[in-house]
Amino acid sequence: MPIQTYLTEQLGLRAPLVMGGMQWVGTPALAAAASNAGALGFLTALTQPSPEELKRAIEKTRSLIDPAIAKERTKYGAFGVNITLLPAVVPPDYEGYARAAVEAGVRIFETAGNNPGPVIKILKDAGAFVIHKCTAIRHGKTALSLGADMLSIDGCTCETDAGECAGHPGEDDVGGLVLLALAAEQLDAPFIASGGIANGRGLAAALALGAVGANMGTRFMATQESEIDDKIKQTIVGANERDTQHILRSLRNTTRVFRNSITKEVLRLEGRRAEFKEILPLVSGQRGRKVYTEGDPEAGVWTAGQTVGLIHDIPTCKELVARIEAEAEARIRASHADLRGPSARL
């Protein structure tokens, strides 16, 4: 029996899995492949240089959607757009990206980051379904008050480098296990789990904690449809759970990234309290993009979660989603068995 949750029922998914937004990675090919596999794929707005380019990327994604999937998901559409609002010297036109996506017919959005109110208003005025990713319960409550329909709870960082997720895990030092339990206890809204999930065991655990699904980023990077260079995919497969680290903690913009010579230099500069202008050339987005396009893991800073230790192959999205779905179903069945007996160990 397929796993049915609020997430699958509202958005017409076969599996309660989301391929979240990833800068330079959430392209039309990957977003469409994730949705065609039965999950929910997100096109990353800021990967596109302008709102008009985002419209073209949306049309490209739509052209790659399986007609059968499009027919099943008529309520809100087959895929979504991620809009992440982050500190920047010159902020992108976030509201312009939101309007462009709405005008292009998108009705599912993942928002994240600072002050999402104006963007969420644009999306909700258009009748969209909004999932807001946050790293603290208080931020989740604010997003819900602004109109978000669902939350994506992202386990936070800590001084011991234990936060699992890639990208920006926040500054509150609350781990995902506790944060998900708090979300179930304190939030009067559905939520999905984000960070540290790459297989069916992780999905089953998230559901047991009260989530209605799981958001995966790093795991979807290492799929055949992901358009990053194959050498980076192989780097992920060959890595272990200790091959990532946090940087930019001193600037209160903590980010989990793959450990390389660049991140070591960033930490050295942070250690001597260097000004941001010294660090900026090392962490620029365009430099990080070269990692994916040129296949050089040392070319710049690139995000990856501790789930690299759980990634051992490069399947198609269809194979990956089906595998995780089957593994999660097996774990859920096992939870009803006598766990003291050897037959329950699947």
Side-chain angles (χ1 to χ4, degrees):
M1 276 292 286
I3 300 171
Q4 295 295 302
T5 71
Y6 181 86
L7 175 68
T8 62
E9 291 170 356
Q10 284 295 305
L11 302 182
L13 312 182
R14 193 195 73 208
L17 291 171
V18 172
M19 181 222 102
M22 294 176 280
Q23 182 72 338
W24 313 129
V25 180
T27 61
L30 183 56
S35 286
N36 287 338
L40 174 63
F42 274 103
L43 185 66
T44 307
L46 298 187
T47 294
Q48 307 305 319
S50 69
E52 284 304 311
E53 287 294 327
L54 174 60
K55 283 186 177 182
R56 283 188 273 274
I58 288 168
E59 289 308 311
K60 175 64 174 177
T61 308
R62 190 171 283 128
S63 73
L64 297 173
I65 293 294
D66 184 328
I69 294 294
K71 187 175 181 180
E72 291 173 0
R73 303 187 190 180
T74 55
K75 185 175 181 181
Y76 291 108
F79 64 94
V81 166
N82 161 278
I83 302 176
T84 299
L85 300 87
L86 292 173
V89 177
V90 181
D93 183 8
Y94 296 120
E95 294 179 35
Y97 278 102
R99 292 191 183 94
V102 165
E103 289 170 5
V106 175
R107 290 298 181 269
I108 304 175
F109 289 86
E110 178 186 62
T111 58
N114 303 324
N115 189 27
V119 167
I120 290 179
K121 185 178 189 308
I122 291 169
L123 305 180
K124 292 307 298 179
D125 284 349
F129 188 95
V130 178
I131 303 172
H132 183 73
K133 182 185 288 186
C134 54
T135 61
I137 300 301
R138 65 185 185 281
H139 297 157
K141 290 180 177 179
T142 298
L144 292 173
S145 72
L146 293 171
D149 300 280
M150 182 182 291
L151 299 175
S152 182
I153 302 297
D154 204 344
C156 299
T157 182
C158 71
E159 294 285 3
T160 56
D161 207 39
E164 306 99 331
C165 72
H168 300 274
E171 312 295 331
D172 276 1
D173 301 343
V174 180
L177 196 64
V178 171
L179 198 60
L180 290 173
L182 285 171
E185 184 178 279
Q186 297 184 20
L187 296 176
D188 187 24
F191 63 91
I192 60 177
S194 181
I197 299 169
N199 57 29
R201 289 177 180 270
L203 173 57
L207 296 174
L209 282 165
V212 297
N215 179 310
M216 301 191 308
T218 307
R219 176 64 271 199
F220 274 110
M221 289 173 67
T223 57
Q224 291 185 25
E225 295 90 349
S226 168
E227 295 186 289
I228 65 176
D229 192 278
D230 284 345
K231 289 189 287 292
I232 301 305
K233 297 180 190 180
Q234 291 297 341
T235 298
I236 292 172
V237 170
N240 64 52
E241 68 277 10
R242 298 181 299 279
D243 286 330
T244 68
Q245 65 186 159
H246 286 137
I247 60 172
L248 305 183
R249 175 81 172 183
S250 65
L251 300 173
R252 296 195 63 78
N253 189 28
T254 303
T255 308
R256 180 174 287 284
V257 294
F258 196 85
R259 191 188 304 272
N260 63 16
S261 59
I262 308 299
T263 63
K264 291 176 183 177
E265 177 61 12
V266 171
L267 289 176
R268 188 188 70 80
L269 291 173
E270 286 192 81
R272 67 174 180 81
R273 303 288 182 180
E275 294 184 13
F276 182 60
K277 64 182 180 181
E278 292 184 67
I279 299 173
L280 180 59
L282 295 174
V283 299
S284 72
Q286 290 302 322
R287 183 168 182 171
R289 188 176 192 176
K290 290 183 178 179
V291 171
Y292 302 130
T293 58
E294 298 179 4
D296 180 3
E298 298 290 327
V301 167
W302 53 289
T303 58
Q306 289 181 327
T307 54
V308 293
L310 296 170
I311 297 172
H312 312 301
D313 62 355
I314 305 172
T316 65
C317 285
K318 184 176 181 179
E319 291 167 342
L320 176 64
V321 170
R323 179 201 304 169
I324 291 177
E325 190 177 21
E327 288 176 352
E329 290 172 4
R331 292 310 311 163
I332 291 169
R333 288 196 303 272
S335 70
H336 296 291
D338 180 359
L339 297 183
R340 293 171 296 177
S343 63
R345 296 183 61 83
L346 299 181

